[in-house]
Amino acid sequence: MARKLNRWDLLKKKQKGEKVVWITSYDFITAQLAEECGIDMILVGDSLGMCVYGYPGTLPVTMEQCIYHSEAVRRGAPNTFVIGDMPFGSYQTSVRDAVINAVRFHKEAAVDAVKLEGGKTVTGIVRAISQSGMLCMGHIGLTPQSSGVLGGFKAQGLTAESAEAVIEDARALHDAGAFSILVEAVPPEVTQIIKDELPIPIYSIGAGMHADGQLMIVSDLVGQFQAFTPKFVKKYGNVAGEIRNAISAYIKDVGESKFPADEHCYHMFAGELEKLRAKFRK
Ligand code: KIV
């Protein structure tokens, strides 16, 4: 089994041009399978709001939910670099709240790092978390927790001015001590500028092929999430189809008395059935 990566391994990978591959996960079994497959990192994303709880977005997600799912993921993937995603309201209220909640992730769920959304506006928070001895990843471009302000789940950096703002956000996060940055839904050329300029790893979700690594939401990747499919998603499976097929076949089998069959039943020890029958015949 491969050793768990640390920040220096991630940095070395960037320097050597080796891509880091990571996914989100919210539960024990998926985390276990991902570790078995050799995934580099796992994000316990607040996307669990949509992928697990059926909320329309990430805003209702609480610290309790994030900790609960991070604990399960950590149990499933003890040798993988796990990142806890700070939910809306867990860091915007004050620097103190941000540090307290980042500490909770580490103490209660044994994560290796936390991630939070925003650029220039969150540098004080990133600095405080980093100076408290924890690894903090930035998240810029399309930041779902601010989708109201952005006017929806929209790609960013499509004009030179907007691209420059994303690049400035990346610089500010680096200067504040972020150990890496996730860029979401921006053109590849913008990501490349950031990746070439900054010495820390720059990862992409929908931000093109030039990044130091790629993140995918596991429910998209395996073809489980049905509500919508962003442009940047490639489905590598059809889990929703598999689940539908299995449940439909089960309904049909029970209706036609084909399930359970004898092989699915427990049988009494030799001679015991006769004793029981004799008693009930009386
Ligand atoms: O919560 C999450 O999964 C994320 C991704 C959208 C990047 O933050």
Side-chain angles (χ1 to χ4, degrees), residues 24 26 43-48 58 85 115 117 139 144 182 184 205 215 217:
T24 65
Y26 319 107
L43 169 70
V44 187
D46 63 354
S47 49
L48 66 85
T58 55
D85 202 11
K115 171 176 90 56
E117 297 182 10
H139 177 172
L182 174 66
E184 177 166 355
I205 179 162
L215 168 67
I217 294 196

Side-chain angles (χ1 to χ4, degrees), residues 134-153:
M134 294 172 280
L135 294 174
C136 187
M137 177 186 282
H139 177 172
I140 55 173
L142 168 53
T143 44
Q145 290 175 14
S146 327
S147 59
V149 176
L150 299 176
F153 295 97

Side-chain angles (χ1 to χ4, degrees), residues 83-153:
I83 303 160
D85 202 11
M86 298 200 56
F88 181 64
S90 69
Y91 60 97
Q92 290 89 348
T93 45
S94 70
V95 169
R96 184 168 184 275
D97 286 349
V99 174
I100 288 172
N101 285 318
V103 167
R104 276 196 70 189
F105 263 113
H106 285 77
K107 275 189 184 290
E108 297 174 39
V111 301
D112 298 290
V114 292
K115 171 176 90 56
L116 53 82
E117 297 182 10
K120 282 185 196 157
T121 54
V122 295
T123 51
I125 296 166
V126 171
R127 187 169 290 110
I129 292 174
S130 307
Q131 288 179 349
S132 304
M134 294 172 280
L135 294 174
C136 187
M137 177 186 282
H139 177 172
I140 55 173
L142 168 53
T143 44
Q145 290 175 14
S146 327
S147 59
V149 176
L150 299 176
F153 295 97

Side-chain angles (χ1 to χ4, degrees), residues 51-89:
C51 300
V52 177
Y53 289 94
Y55 303 147
T58 55
L59 297 197
V61 175
T62 64
M63 264 306 286
E64 270 56 44
Q65 288 168 322
C66 287
I67 295 278
Y68 176 77
H69 288 274
S70 299
E71 283 178 314
V73 166
R74 173 48 83 211
R75 281 194 290 275
N79 298 307
T80 302
F81 192 96
V82 171
I83 303 160
D85 202 11
M86 298 200 56
F88 181 64

Side-chain angles (χ1 to χ4, degrees), residues 3-4 35 37 39 53 63 73 77 97 135 145 148 153 174 188-189 196 202 204 219 221 233 251 253 261-262 274:
R3 171 179 69 76
K4 192 201 318 184
E35 183 167 291
C37 293
I39 204 78
Y53 289 94
M63 264 306 286
V73 166
D97 286 349
L135 294 174
Q145 290 175 14
F153 295 97
H174 164 260
E189 297 79 8
D196 289 345
I202 304 300
S204 152
S219 321
L221 154 69
V233 165
I251 292 172
D253 266 11
D262 191 57
E274 289 69 25

